[in-house]
Amino acid sequence: MADAINLSTAGIHLYYAVEATAGTRPTLKSAYTDLPGIKSTPSLNPSPEALETTSLNETEYKTYIDGLKDLGGALEFTWNLTQALVDTWDELMTDYEEAKTAGKGTWFLIDIPGLTNGLYFKGNPSSMGVPETAVNSVLETTNYITPTSAPIMAAKPTAE
């Protein structure tokens, strides 16, 4: 059994990659582009819906089985708004549109230092909008990615 080492959120990165072959998740590190300045990611661990199975012969408690999990549609990711993010998000949108035209998917990777595997999901990014602003604050933006596959834990990308 591996040693239990608590992890920090420091050093987490969000990457994207377009499939070279339709239906195949990219596995080489060079295929992935870092989306800079990520500040928060949404939970990709929703509880399953509870489907009631109670029969008439139950006298005290209802019974249930697990139903489907719902990631909730478009997922919210928060960033510091920088020109580097704007440029990279524009590149992501161009790559995504080209991939979609070619029948290929776009993969996202949440890379957490200290874990052997990364968290992957296919998704459709939305164009970046104009963020809310306030006096004397860091300019942040929320960008959206709609998952098109279930999240999976798998080996992190490898070098060439």
Side-chain angles (χ1 to χ4, degrees):
M1 182 163 119
D3 290 335
I5 298 175
N6 294 317
L7 301 175
S8 166
T9 58
I12 290 176
H13 286 263
L14 177 65
Y15 298 93
Y16 82 91
V18 169
E19 294 172 341
T21 303
T24 303
R25 178 177 50 82
T27 57
L28 296 178
K29 190 161 180 78
S30 62
Y32 287 85
T33 299
D34 190 18
L35 292 161
I38 189 81
K39 292 190 75 167
S40 70
T41 65
S43 175
L44 294 171
N45 186 28
S47 63
E49 188 172 331
L51 304 177
E52 186 182 344
T53 59
T54 309
S55 66
L56 289 174
N57 37 346
E58 295 294 335
T59 59
E60 190 171 352
Y61 293 100
K62 290 182 176 183
T63 59
Y64 298 89
I65 60 171
D66 286 344
L68 298 174
K69 294 181 179 184
D70 184 0
L71 290 171
L75 303 175
E76 295 184 6
F77 293 82
T78 305
W79 277 269
N80 285 325
L81 184 59
T82 64
Q83 189 60 52
L85 174 64
V86 171
D87 293 344
T88 307
W89 199 265
D90 286 347
E91 179 183 311
L92 163 61
M93 292 307 299
T94 298
D95 291 347
Y96 162 72
E97 291 298 335
E98 289 173 1
K100 187 168 80 169
T101 300
K104 297 177 182 177
T106 302
W107 285 86
F108 295 88
L109 161 63
I110 299 173
D111 184 3
I112 302 170
L115 292 182
T116 303
N117 292 328
L119 176 67
Y120 296 90
F121 65 97
K122 279 173 71 169
N124 299 336
S126 295
S127 296
M128 184 182 291
V130 178
E132 176 182 336
T133 61
V135 172
N136 197 32
S137 61
V138 174
L139 189 55
E140 296 179 341
T141 189
T142 301
N143 291 343
Y144 299 90
I145 303 169
T146 303
T148 59
S149 73
I152 59 167
M153 293 290 283
K156 291 182 182 181
T158 59
E160 276 32 67

